[in-house]
Amino acid sequence: MSGFVFSEKPISIERGEDVHLYADSGTEYLDFGASYACTPAGHCHPEVVDAVQSQAGELLYAQASYGNGTRDVLYERLASFAPGGLDNVWLCNSGTEANEAALKFARSATGREKVVAAKRAFHGRTMGALAATWKAKYKAPYEPVMPGVEFVDYGDADALAEAVDEETAAVILEPVQGEGGVHPAPEGYLQAAQDVTDDTGAALILDEIQTGVGRTGTHWACQARDVTPDILTAAKGLASGLPLGATVCADWIAEGAASHGSTFSGNPLVAAAATATLDVVEGEALAENATTVGAHLQESLAELPVRDVRGEGLMVGVEVKRGANRLLKGLAIEHQVLALPAGRTVVRLLPPLTATEAHADAVVGALEAVLAEVSA
């Protein structure tokens, strides 16, 4: 029996090591999906495993209203890892919860209701984050969702400026749209978003749930654009796949935030994993590796018969002429390479940030073979 809300793949994963996953059959897979960017340090990095095992012998859980040294270390570590000026941290269990908190904090701090989001955006599956998510297929079965959200074309600074007014509580954007097809923000777009929110007193929320923790070549994608949001959200790779989300915000947001909470906020076990993960990403220069290997990967992919290659660092989308799912099946079954879709025609590559150019070459070779098979 399996969980009823997931479409289960015909591969049962038993263990992982660095960039590889191993099925119960013993088959080795090169993991270029990292379960949606959840393992930046690679699977079962020894330092992360040691941190979890050590903490498990001390304390598994204490509610966040009680002080805890492991959690306090993460608060400080995450604040130092975040863009300057974002010193206030609220911990939760997932990306959608981090975005829910961000929307709540923005509304309570501004006293306003309206939210401006982008077409093609994906911010989560709970009712508030879902309302700021574009695709109808995610929302239709659950409507009505949270009201007060207006959508504009992603990358259109003029449309954004027209939509944001004195009634706007927040603008929420992804620096690189992931689920929407791996679309990086155009030059100057995030700066324009910061300018218009500053002018109107709205909060700028940057959803870095997929782009963060070194994935795009800097700790956070917004840093490469010299933009600091009022609220930044993170999850996925933050604790090497253990359930952790974070909402990090400026003082004026924290000071204006109303009561909010979560039973498992910052549980010590996950906090230990997160601190170790951030230490590995920084200590092993994995963001820099993402830049180097990502550039090599994109250059190699551009030589294949595909429509487009785009992305930043080790967040890469390959737009193909035929259905992506057919290619993904061929990659997995025939070449033991795991990747992800981003819509019907985009193959999404999100490997651990420990991936090498040799790993990238193996994936390019496999994709080239599958493309040839499909064409034939």
Side-chain angles (χ1 to χ4, degrees), residues 13 15 18 36 49 57 62-63 83 103 110 127 142 177 184 188 208 238 244 288-289 292 305 312 333:
I13 301 298
R15 65 184 181 91
D18 196 17
Y36 294 91
V49 172
Q63 205 277 331
L103 293 169
T110 63
M127 295 298 271
Y142 305 107
Q177 289 190 320
E208 294 243 22
L238 198 52
L244 180 67
E288 292 83 349
N289 187 64
T292 302
E312 294 181 10
I333 301 302

Side-chain angles (χ1 to χ4, degrees), residues 74-198:
L74 177 58
Y75 284 146
E76 294 295 327
R77 189 70 181 89
L78 191 51
S80 69
F81 198 85
L86 302 184
D87 300 323
N88 305 279
V89 179
W90 184 76
L91 300 173
C92 55
N93 312 287
S94 65
T96 192
E97 289 175 75
N99 282 334
E100 289 282 341
L103 293 169
K104 288 179 70 175
F105 295 164
R107 281 187 163 186
S108 60
T110 63
R112 305 171 182 178
E113 177 182 342
K114 180 179 173 181
V115 173
V116 177
K119 296 177 182 178
R120 294 197 311 251
F122 183 88
H123 296 294
R125 298 175 186 267
T126 49
M127 295 298 271
L130 188 62
T133 293
W134 170 246
K135 283 187 179 180
K137 75 172 187 177
Y138 296 120
K139 295 189 286 191
Y142 305 107
E143 290 179 331
V145 293
M146 181 186 79
V149 179
E150 179 178 341
F151 289 93
V152 296
D153 289 333
Y154 186 74
D156 187 335
D158 292 336
L160 184 65
E162 186 175 344
V164 179
D165 54 28
E166 304 299 328
E167 298 179 357
T168 303
V171 172
I172 182 168
L173 299 168
E174 299 158 274
V176 181
Q177 289 190 320
E179 188 74 14
V182 189
H183 292 277
E187 185 71 28
Y189 181 60
L190 296 187
Q191 183 62 61
Q194 185 170 53
D195 291 343
V196 73
T197 50
D198 285 348

Side-chain angles (χ1 to χ4, degrees), residues 227-239:
V227 171
T228 299
D230 300 292
I231 307 174
L232 181 146
T233 57
K236 293 197 182 296
L238 198 52

Side-chain angles (χ1 to χ4, degrees), residues 46 48-58 269:
V48 178
V49 172
D50 286 349
V52 170
Q53 290 177 337
S54 176
Q55 182 60 46
E58 297 292 333
L269 187 72

